[in-house]
Amino acid sequence: MSLTLDTSARRVEHAQMFIAGAWSAGASRATFPTVDPNTGETIAQVPRGDATDVDRAVAAARRVAVEWQFTDAIVRAGLLRALAAKVTEHADELARLEALDSGHYLAKAQELVGAIPLWLDYWASLADKVGGRQIEVPGNKLSFTILEPLGVTAHIVPWNYPLLILTRSVAPALALGNTCVVKPAEDTSLSALKFAELVAEAGFPGGVFNVVTGYGGEAGAALAAHPDVAGITFTGSTETGKQVAKLGADHVAQVNLELGGKSPTVVFPDADLDEAVEAAVQGFCSHTGQVCVAGTRLFVHRDVREPFLRKLSMRLDATRVGDGFAEGTQMGPLVSQRQYDRVREYIEIGKSEATLYYGGGRPEGVHAGGYFVEPTVFTDVVNTARIAQEEIFGPVASVIGWSDEDELVEKVNDSIYGLFAVLLGRDITRLLSTARRLQVGGVMINDWFGELPMTPHGGHKQSGTGREEGLEAVHGYTQVKHVAINLDPLRPATDWAGAPL
Ligand code: NAD
């Protein structure tokens, strides 16, 4: 039965897995609760999928893999466009589910859901345009490559942007002829289940798209380890990504890893400080700091430290933290009790390593059961401090001073991560030469991060491998077949030594 949302009661009924085009309570029929992070109260019971459910979902995806591969690309594109229309039609319900489950404030959830069709349209447009290439070889031969889908692909999704991250990997996978098994994060399964309902309504054949809910160590690990899974897109922490890569290696799956970060926001001495403060605040407070590219290392040039900090604290005073369904909220809760405990622990670590400059506590007037924290800023942070090196995944920024570019580049690059950087200033030569020296997968100059379907996203170092979005993502969902035709009669070899191999 399809999932139903009662917005006023903040309850969801009939959350079931979606396997082979049908709803399922799971082999064990066991469930686990998912909570509203604004209140800590249970909003739904979700099936606790296990290896048996993963087996069924992968078998369903495998059964239809060849048929889907050879479905005309124009038909696959049409189905993606029909899905985009369904998402638009049900945008309000999807946004409410996302806000309730993940803690995004409602206006942000609406914006995020409103953007989902962009990803579906982008990949629908590319379905019949990407392909192989002709290769000039010696002799009268025709040599070319064909891009083929991988087959069954697994999509293991984190809880911070559940529907966006699901869509950004499932859309290219489906467009390029793969079938999918999705494992949403245990804290945020609901929007994926509603999405599955819309996939069915859009007309996708049963088995092409499947969702198995459950815990990472059970359903997630079983999916990554499944020998019939040819490709894995994992988005999540670096620690779990390493485990998933090892599970995939056992059956030589192609693995795309979109992992954690500890990204720098760099304020140059000639930056417009009001703009710099805006970018910095969005950088570490957006979605309460639970963003892979969050700018939680604030490298502020020593010449502008004092005016920057004064403006920063005024801007934070004006940031409204509260219930995601309340009018005007700009920062909602953290996603779970576990994440709340983790962020609080890092704030205590910060107090022992640096100077607490702003926040550090619980905002006033919020629900006692909700997972709220204040935006928090530490100053006098040394680059080797734990709060400067470890991904906290909360609204906690470390201000680190710098005086020249060599010092800046050395400090920024002194990190296991290399996901993203924001540079704020006016001297474009200085900004671009710094951009070239940073070991990161993306740089934004004079703006905060904006995710788009057409620009490649991914990390260097332990922030990941492969790329999501843009034409670069094609490689993550295809494999190459080389075909060559000899156009001359095949002559008997007179000299075997002269034959190519
Ligand atoms: P996580 O690693 O705890 O979980 C991610 C997913 O993996 C979940 O679905 C989880 O159930 C599953 N999982 C857990 N253990 C598993 C196992 N042993 N085998 C298979 N699957 C398993 O990450 P999270 O806490 O949900 O998300 C936050 C992390 O995600 C942060 O580190 C963040 O930086 C990262 N992230 C990265 C990007 C990116 O594009 N680079 C985007 C969003 C989030």
Side-chain angles (χ1 to χ4, degrees), residues 156-160 165 168 183-186 214-217 220-221 224 234-238 240 243-244 247 258-261 292 338 391 393 419 457 463:
I156 303 178
V157 181
W159 42 257
N160 58 343
I165 290 176
R168 80 179 186 190
K183 211 300 279 171
E186 40 274 62
Y215 291 124
F234 171 84
T235 311
S237 62
T238 295
T240 312
Q243 293 172 33
V244 167
L247 292 171
E258 299 292 335
L259 308 177
C292 57
R338 188 175 59 122
E391 186 180 43
F393 232 49
L419 192 55
H457 169 70
S463 288

Side-chain angles (χ1 to χ4, degrees), residues 37 41 43 71 81 129 136 205 272 275 301 307-308 310 322 369 371 401 432 442 453 460 472 474 483 500:
E41 282 161 20
I43 49 178
T71 297
R81 291 203 177 92
K129 294 175 191 66
E136 286 302 325
D272 175 317
E275 286 184 12
H301 194 278
F308 176 85
R310 267 197 312 278
Y371 311 127
L432 286 176
H460 290 191
E472 289 76 2
V474 168
V483 180

Side-chain angles (χ1 to χ4, degrees), residues 342-463:
R342 176 187 167 92
V343 173
R344 295 244 45 104
E345 193 184 330
Y346 271 108
I347 290 173
E348 291 311 309
I349 292 168
K351 287 180 188 167
S352 68
E353 290 183 322
T355 306
L356 177 63
Y357 177 77
Y358 191 95
R362 210 179 144 75
E364 285 172 11
V366 291
H367 193 290
Y371 311 127
F372 296 94
V373 285
E374 284 180 318
T376 299
V377 179
F378 287 98
T379 52
D380 308 317
V381 183
V382 292
N383 202 36
T384 50
R386 286 185 64 190
I387 55 165
Q389 291 289 332
E390 297 174 19
E391 186 180 43
I392 298 171
F393 232 49
V396 183
S398 295
V399 177
I400 303 168
W402 66 281
S403 297
D404 65 49
E405 273 87 330
D406 286 345
E407 180 193 7
L408 171 71
V409 168
E410 189 187 325
K411 283 182 170 173
V412 167
N413 288 343
D414 181 18
S415 167
I416 61 164
Y417 297 111
L419 192 55
F420 185 67
V422 166
L423 305 182
L424 304 156
R426 286 284 157 247
D427 181 341
I428 193 66
T429 309
R430 215 172 162 187
L431 292 166
L432 286 176
S433 70
T434 303
R436 290 197 67 181
R437 295 171 71 192
L438 300 184
Q439 296 163 347
V440 294
V443 179
M444 182 65 86
I445 295 178
N446 290 332
D447 203 353
W448 162 237
F449 182 70
E451 188 146 355
L452 291 166
M454 63 292 271
T455 50
H457 169 70
H460 290 191
K461 301 199 274 189
Q462 294 193 29
S463 288

